[in-house]
């Protein structure tokens, strides 16, 4: 069976409300999946991380059982994907039986192979914060959390360990042999430093709370161990080996840079212990920041993704997030910049191009696409599909959009330079047909290429061009200049991106 392009997002902590940082990763994964899907089989996975003490505490505070509590929260996460048109093939919840059964099987298998062993989990423990602290972090022998500062106690309990240290040399060798396994380079370098400093075995069981996957013999699985396994439990590691074979190893796993360590040091080791290959690639993207700080629930500086999409349109936000900053760098968010991108790139460059092109076609040719003719533009952009695809595959979303914009700019220039209204006035029909054809054909290409980024607006361009179905069609075959049939009846319509003015100061 043909291997599919398999892309994953982290599974999001279910408690609290989704913010624009969460949407960022999901949108990027959606762009990758849509690009791949137009060209072959693809599978995108996301989901929610639902265990752990914090969730249990929040449930108690809400007067609910943990199960009822997580069930009440999950619709918000589905709604976020829907709001942003992010299409996932599966959504895994770590409280689902398919996940739990497989996690226990992993545990048993690793116990049998000796990669999981019983040891002692020891350290300075703050009961209030439910956290182990390194001795070096304590302040006057007390909990270093400024809001706590209570005395800590020495705790020693039996715990299951994963023999992570065993895999250090293999990880170093793997990193060296696969310099593109982890991108960007800055995160790769950081992980190499950690690896060279050594790796401790990882405690993977907890006994001080019970909201987790129960382990045979008592205790629950450490939440990160359970969470990482979602990437294989969702696709059938335990229950659907056929599907599993077509999807694993993942083509790319997207994560925020703060969790690169879990995905590139611990995760490959777990996979190897199970006899599975590491993912092809992990990409650690930057943070969305607001006034220099990471946007996060705990800092409270979050932008509500629902309100944002209602005001600016999901496609404008999608475009902005991927166009404004390179995907591996931090991204300083501002509404003003979003409005500029919406009005200028999308409204002026693209929206006006569509409106003017179809209005001229309507006026001079009753909205019917003229016959194709030789085109220099076609020659100039012959490789555009291949290069956009390559850039998207390398997570260079911004550069991919820049390339698509070169075509948009070239089409706008055609109008300015060839002046179809003059050609019409002078009766130069062959020349006029050639320009009108190129404009429509160029817009067809743009709809195909922009579909992964702004799916609903690309569909609208497609519809206004009078084309059937959707622009999600194989690129190589359909990005041939001249593909648009003569006599296609276009239906120019509403502005694609109506202008949004800044709020009037009170
Ligand atoms: N549950 C863990 C991940 C387990 S994966 C096996 C977790 N969840 S989280 O809810 O905190 O979400 C983490 C992910 O959300 C980040 O890795 C990133 O993809 C995204 N983001 C959360 N805040 C973000 C920003 N401020 N900026 C960009 N992405 C952000 O960690």
């Amino acid at each position: 069976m043909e291997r599919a392009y398999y892309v994953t997002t982290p599974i999001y902590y279910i408690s609290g409300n989704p913010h624009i940082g969460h949407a960022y990763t999901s949108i990027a994964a959606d762009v990758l999946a849509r690009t791949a899907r137009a060209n072959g089989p693809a599978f995108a996975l996301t989901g929610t991380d639902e265990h752990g003490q914090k969730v249990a505490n929040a449930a108690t505070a809400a007067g609910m059982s943990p199960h009822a509590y997580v069930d009440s929260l999950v619709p918000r996460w589905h709604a976020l994907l829907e709001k942003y048109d992010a299409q996932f093939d599966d959504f895994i919840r770590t409280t689902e039986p398919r996940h739990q059964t497989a996690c226990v099987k992993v545990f048993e298998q690793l116990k049998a192979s000796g990669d999981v062993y019983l040891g002692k989990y020891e350290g300075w423990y703050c009961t209030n914060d439910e956290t182990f602290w390194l001795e070096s972090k304590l302040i006057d022998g007390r909990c270093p959390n400024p809001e706590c500062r209570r005395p800590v106690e020495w705790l020693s309990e039996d715990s299951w360990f994963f023999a992570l240290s065993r895999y250090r040399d293999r990880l170093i060798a793997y990193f060296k042999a696969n310099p593109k396994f982890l991108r960007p380079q800055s995160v790769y370098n950081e992980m190499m430093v950690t690896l060279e400093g050594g790796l401790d075995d990882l405690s993977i069981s907890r006994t001080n709370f019970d909201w987790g996957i129960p382990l045979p013999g008592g205790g629950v699985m450490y939440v990160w161990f359970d969470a990482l396994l979602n990437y294989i439990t969702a696709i059938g590691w335990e229950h659907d080996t056929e599907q599993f074979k077509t999807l694993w190893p993942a083509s790319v796993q997207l994560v925020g840079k703060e969790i690169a360590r879990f995905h590139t040091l611990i995760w490959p080791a777990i996979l190897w212990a199970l006899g599975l290959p590491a993912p092809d690639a992990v990409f650690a993207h930057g943070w969305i920041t607001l006034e220099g700080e990471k946007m996060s629930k705990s800092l409270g500086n979050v932008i509500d993704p629902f309100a944002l999409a209602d005001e600016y349109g999901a496609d404008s936000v999608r475009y902005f997030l991927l166009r404004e900053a390179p995907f591996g760098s931090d991204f300083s968010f501002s509404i003003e910049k979003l409005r500029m991108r919406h009005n200028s790139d999308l409204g002026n460059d693209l929206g006006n191009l569509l409106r003017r092109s179809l209005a001229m076609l309507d006026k001079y040719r009753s909205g019917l696409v003229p016959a194709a003719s030789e085109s220099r533009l076609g020659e100039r952009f012959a490789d555009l599909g291949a290069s956009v695809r390559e850039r998207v595959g390398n997570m260079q979303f911004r550069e991919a959009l820049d390339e698509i914009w070169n075509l948009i700019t070239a089409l706008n220039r055609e109008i300015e330079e060839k002046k179809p209204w003059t050609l019409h006035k002078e009766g130069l029909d062959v020349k006029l047909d050639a320009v009108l054809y190129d404009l429509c054909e160029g817009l067809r290409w743009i709809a195909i290429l922009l579909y992964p980024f702004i799916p609903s607006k690309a569909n609208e361009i497609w519809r206004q061009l009078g084309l059937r179905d959707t622009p999600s069609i194989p690129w190589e075959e359909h990005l041939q200049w001249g593909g648009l049939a003569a006599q296609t009846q276009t239906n120019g319509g509403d502005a694609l991106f109506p202008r949004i003015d800044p709020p009037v100061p009170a």
Side-chain angles (χ1 to χ4, degrees):
M1 223 191 270
E2 192 182 349
R3 237 188 94 191
Y5 184 89
Y6 176 33
V7 54
T8 67
T9 74
I11 47 172
Y12 303 105
Y13 287 132
I14 193 147
S15 50
N17 279 332
H19 64 70
I20 195 69
H22 304 119
Y24 186 48
T25 319
S26 295
I27 291 167
D30 185 50
V31 171
L32 292 172
R34 284 178 190 264
T35 304
R37 236 179 254 132
N39 297 293
F43 193 95
L45 176 71
T46 191
T48 40
D49 192 351
E50 306 191 358
H51 290 126
Q53 176 83 80
K54 273 198 187 143
V55 176
N57 289 349
T60 311
M64 293 165 103
S65 72
H67 259 296
Y69 180 66
V70 293
D71 284 351
S72 75
L73 294 175
V74 78
R76 288 289 282 173
W77 292 95
H78 282 288
L80 179 71
L81 302 179
E82 215 167 285
K83 191 90 205 167
Y84 280 94
D85 246 336
Q87 288 178 341
F88 284 84
D89 298 276
D90 202 348
F91 184 108
I92 182 145
R93 301 180 56 188
T94 53
T95 45
E96 285 176 68
R98 61 170 170 158
H99 177 69
Q100 308 222 3
T101 315
C103 285
V104 172
K105 196 166 162 189
V106 166
F107 177 78
E108 297 283 16
Q109 189 170 317
L110 298 189
K111 219 166 72 175
S113 69
D115 284 292
V116 161
Y117 65 91
L118 199 56
K120 280 232 178 291
Y121 192 45
E122 294 183 317
W124 293 106
Y125 191 70
C126 169
T127 320
N128 183 60
D129 285 359
E130 312 254 26
T131 309
F132 276 94
W133 295 105
L134 287 176
E135 187 150 331
S136 58
K137 291 269 191 273
L138 299 180
I139 298 178
D140 298 332
R142 287 165 172 261
C143 173
N145 174 1
E147 286 162 27
C148 178
R149 291 288 152 80
R150 289 177 175 78
V152 289
E153 56 180 321
W154 183 256
L155 209 79
S156 170
E157 61 176 39
D158 285 344
S159 172
W160 292 102
F161 281 84
F162 172 61
L164 180 61
S165 58
R166 244 187 221 183
Y167 291 93
R168 176 178 167 255
D169 291 350
R170 182 160 170 194
L171 280 162
I172 293 180
Y174 188 75
F175 266 66
K176 287 193 174 149
N178 300 281
K180 290 203 162 167
F181 165 63
L182 170 58
R183 281 168 296 167
Q185 189 68 39
S186 51
V187 183
Y188 175 101
N189 296 344
E190 204 185 303
M191 292 304 123
M192 267 312 244
V193 170
T194 309
L195 271 176
E196 276 153 10
L199 288 178
D200 289 334
D201 287 354
L202 181 73
S203 160
I204 60 158
S205 62
R206 295 289 183 270
T207 51
N208 57 328
F209 64 92
D210 58 9
W211 181 237
I213 298 178
L215 290 174
V220 293
M221 190 176 268
Y222 167 47
V223 67
W224 262 102
F225 199 78
D226 141 19
L228 286 166
L229 291 172
N230 90 85
Y231 303 123
I232 59 170
T233 62
I235 57 167
W237 172 72
E238 194 241 0
H239 60 273
D240 187 349
T241 37
E242 270 314 300
Q243 169 171 273
F244 186 74
K245 271 192 262 166
T246 66
L247 295 178
W248 196 261
S251 311
V252 65
Q253 303 207 253
L254 299 184
V255 298
K257 64 184 174 181
E258 77 288 355
I259 55 173
R261 193 172 65 86
F262 291 96
H263 287 83
T264 59
L265 305 185
I266 300 175
W267 181 224
I270 298 175
L271 288 162
W272 291 334
L274 289 170
L276 296 170
D280 288 350
V282 173
F283 194 96
H285 65 70
W287 290 333
I288 298 191
T289 62
L290 210 57
E291 281 150 19
E293 287 206 272
K294 177 176 186 251
M295 199 181 281
S296 81
K297 199 181 60 176
S298 40
L299 288 174
N301 59 345
V302 296
I303 297 271
D304 174 7
F306 296 97
L308 200 67
D310 286 341
E311 193 165 352
Y312 294 90
D315 278 350
S316 293
V317 180
R318 286 172 66 109
Y319 171 80
F320 169 65
L321 291 178
L322 296 180
R323 179 66 179 267
E324 191 65 27
F327 194 53
S329 311
D330 284 353
F331 177 110
S332 158
F333 188 90
S334 108
I335 293 282
E336 191 44 41
K337 287 191 284 190
L338 165 59
R339 188 170 29 242
M340 298 229 322
R341 288 284 181 193
H342 170 92
N343 286 336
S344 142
D345 303 14
L346 296 170
N348 290 345
D349 299 351
L350 175 58
N352 281 346
L353 171 66
L354 179 72
R355 194 184 46 74
R356 291 175 84 190
S357 303
L358 295 187
M360 289 188 291
L361 190 68
D362 220 28
K363 190 160 168 197
Y364 306 136
R365 296 290 180 263
S366 311
L368 289 174
V369 174
S373 59
E374 290 278 303
S375 165
R376 294 245 172 75
L377 272 184
E379 277 165 37
R380 209 175 117 198
F381 288 98
D383 298 329
L384 182 61
S387 68
V388 169
R389 205 168 155 193
E390 191 186 327
R391 301 237 186 243
V392 170
N394 287 329
M395 263 50 72
Q396 294 171 301
F397 302 113
R398 182 192 218 202
E399 292 77 2
L401 287 164
D402 279 339
E403 296 222 15
I404 301 171
W405 247 255
N406 286 338
L407 175 56
I408 294 175
T409 306
L411 294 174
N412 278 317
R413 198 168 295 142
E414 280 287 291
I415 301 181
E416 296 314 317
E417 284 173 3
K418 304 246 167 92
K419 300 185 175 51
W421 49 92
T422 309
L423 299 176
H424 173 69
K425 210 186 285 169
E426 292 172 0
L428 298 170
D429 279 336
V430 176
K431 284 195 173 152
L432 179 59
D433 278 350
V435 183
L436 293 175
Y437 184 85
D438 274 355
L439 291 173
C440 296
E441 174 62 345
L443 282 160
R444 186 183 70 90
W445 278 48
I446 287 161
I448 293 173
L449 292 166
L450 280 183
Y451 175 79
F453 293 93
I454 51 170
S456 85
K457 297 297 180 182
N459 271 326
E460 176 60 16
I461 299 174
W462 203 247
R463 200 195 57 74
Q464 291 198 18
L465 286 172
L467 298 168
R468 269 200 229 113
D469 303 324
T470 79
S472 181
I473 46 182
W475 288 13
E476 208 174 322
E477 184 186 337
H478 291 276
L479 292 178
Q480 300 290 342
W481 206 270
L484 179 62
Q487 297 304 307
T488 302
Q489 175 68 59
T490 60
N491 327 284
D494 295 342
L496 265 191
F497 296 96
R499 197 179 165 76
I500 299 176
D501 289 319
V504 183

